[in-house]
Amino acid sequence: MELMVAVGVIAILATVGGVTFTRQLPHYRLKGDAGTIQRSFMTARTQATSSGLQYAIEFDLDANPQKYVLQRGNANNGSTSWSSLSYRQELSPGVTIDQVNDGSVKTSGKARIIFNPNGSSGTGDIRLGGPTHGYRVWLTPTTGRVQLHEGWTL
């Protein structure tokens, strides 16, 4: 009898915990992808400063799921050719990039955020999710500083 009560209590706790986790899963995926984009920007900036060449993150907003790739330019400024490297990421299921600002706001197509060998960057502002529940990853162009913020406003 005591064993059946213990099994019943465990089953109830597991059910409640599973429902709560399932409800929070989209938030965890969104937060994880925002952090991964932030770290990808830092990787591109580090590669640019250590190699003397421009590096970029190119976003494909029309892909399903949306994805991005690290690219190497052919010059230290004004690259005319970009080669994609093996560093590629797809967004988690249910996570979408609402817009990318790489000098102009884009909601479809491709957008490229460029990092220069002197540590600076082009304009960069990525918004994931929606205004009521989303994340913003943005750059300070003069320094290349990468920031992550929950929500779209500061």
Side-chain angles (χ1 to χ4, degrees):
M1 181 69 173
E2 292 172 3
L3 180 60
M4 290 180 67
V5 170
V7 170
V9 168
I10 290 171
I12 291 169
L13 291 175
T15 302
V16 170
V19 169
T20 301
F21 177 75
T22 303
R23 197 171 333 138
Q24 292 297 319
L25 190 57
H27 175 73
Y28 294 143
R29 287 180 176 162
L30 180 62
K31 185 176 182 177
D33 283 352
T36 301
I37 289 172
Q38 178 188 28
R39 288 184 294 281
S40 297
F41 280 178
M42 290 183 207
T43 298
R45 183 174 184 263
T46 300
Q47 291 293 326
T49 57
S50 65
S51 71
L53 295 171
Q54 286 183 313
Y55 272 73
I57 300 289
E58 183 180 72
F59 293 87
D60 185 350
L61 302 174
D62 294 333
N64 188 11
Q66 292 172 326
K67 59 187 174 183
Y68 56 97
V69 61
L70 177 65
Q71 297 180 324
R72 181 178 49 240
N74 65 343
N76 66 355
N77 191 4
S79 293
T80 57
S81 175
W82 296 91
S83 40
S84 294
L85 304 176
S86 60
Y87 184 91
R88 298 173 185 274
Q89 295 287 331
E90 289 184 350
L91 296 183
S92 299
V95 175
T96 58
I97 295 173
D98 186 68
Q99 68 181 37
V100 175
N101 183 347
D102 63 355
S104 65
V105 176
K106 296 179 179 155
T107 57
S108 63
K110 293 192 177 185
R112 181 179 289 137
I113 309 292
I114 299 172
F115 296 85
N116 300 307
N118 66 0
S120 66
S121 67
T123 299
D125 187 356
I126 314 300
R127 296 178 186 214
L128 292 92
T132 58
H133 183 74
Y135 284 85
R136 180 178 177 208
V137 183
W138 79 98
L139 302 168
T140 304
T142 53
T143 62
R145 180 176 178 216
V146 182
Q147 299 177 67
L148 173 65
H149 181 74
E150 186 170 3
W152 285 6
T153 57
L154 297 178

